Amino acid sequence: MLKTHGWGDPAAFLDRHPDTPCLVTIRDPRDAVVSLMQRFDYGFDHALAYAAQGAAGIVGAARQPKSLLLRYESGFMDQATTIDLIAGHLSLRPSAAEMEALFRRLRPDAVQAAIAEAERRNRFPKGLPAGETADPSTQWHPGHVGDRLIGKYAKLLDQARQAAVVARMAPYMAHFGYGA
């Protein structure tokens, strides 16, 4: 698994391996910044820098010929058909029962319960902020599942901060069709 934020250099890997199937999840960067501020107590500048750091990698991954785009705003995480879509993209053929079991394990409430169990078992590396640590086996971090609200930036970011996100994330927003 390559993540475009926080770890490694996914663009360099994808340049060397252009036939790698990619699952690309996107979200309005204004909402992403707000979520980082809410869930991890990041200040605005830190949240914006963190979101922007991965943006180029996300666009690069989406440009790969074998990319599947999953838009946060579509609610893909709540749709059982997402498992079938991803399996097909990866040329996997799980049974209906396997897909149902996986969907149940990946529902937001189940992920929150798994994170709580990982915290109880001390699975998160110590000494790092919640947004910069992850369970080694799942890559989920404390606070991984937030409130899941869409468009919350309009109430929680003033016009100047909204404009700063739009300016910094303009290529990402244009590529994925997020209006200013």
Side-chain angles (χ1 to χ4, degrees):
M1 173 185 295
L2 297 173
K3 295 178 91 171
T4 59
H5 58 279
W7 301 284
D9 184 358
F13 176 86
L14 292 171
D15 284 344
R16 291 189 309 274
H17 306 282
D19 291 331
T20 300
C22 295
L23 304 174
V24 180
T25 62
I26 62 167
R27 184 178 192 185
D28 186 312
R30 295 163 291 194
D31 278 342
V33 167
V34 170
S35 283
L36 289 166
M37 293 169 68
Q38 290 177 325
R39 292 179 11 241
F40 305 127
D41 201 29
Y42 286 2
F44 173 77
D45 292 333
H46 184 199
L48 177 56
Y50 194 80
Q53 184 263 331
I58 293 169
V59 172
R63 287 187 172 138
Q64 294 295 316
K66 294 185 178 180
S67 290
L68 174 64
L69 184 66
L70 300 169
R71 190 176 292 269
Y72 188 88
E73 294 81 6
S74 74
F76 69 85
M77 64 294 265
D78 293 317
Q79 300 167 13
T81 55
T82 300
I83 302 298
D84 187 44
L85 185 65
I86 291 171
H89 182 72
L90 298 175
S91 300
L92 302 172
R93 309 255 184 272
S95 70
E98 290 170 321
M99 287 193 291
E100 178 60 30
L102 184 57
F103 180 67
R104 280 193 312 271
R105 283 198 345 249
L106 295 177
R107 292 198 39 86
D109 57 334
V111 170
Q112 287 174 315
I115 290 168
E117 178 64 14
E119 287 177 314
R120 190 183 70 71
R121 293 178 179 234
N122 293 315
R123 296 274 306 153
F124 297 104
K126 302 294 181 218
L128 296 171
E132 297 171 24
T133 186
D135 178 320
S137 65
T138 64
Q139 291 300 300
W140 294 330
H141 45 81
H144 195 91
V145 179
D147 60 24
R148 304 174 63 222
L149 295 175
I150 296 168
K152 61 186 173 180
Y153 72 87
K155 291 181 181 177
L156 299 171
L157 292 180
D158 62 30
Q159 290 297 317
R161 287 183 168 179
Q162 289 180 42
V165 175
V166 170
R168 181 93 180 259
M169 305 288 284
Y172 174 100
M173 293 182 75
H175 185 82
F176 295 116
Y178 288 107

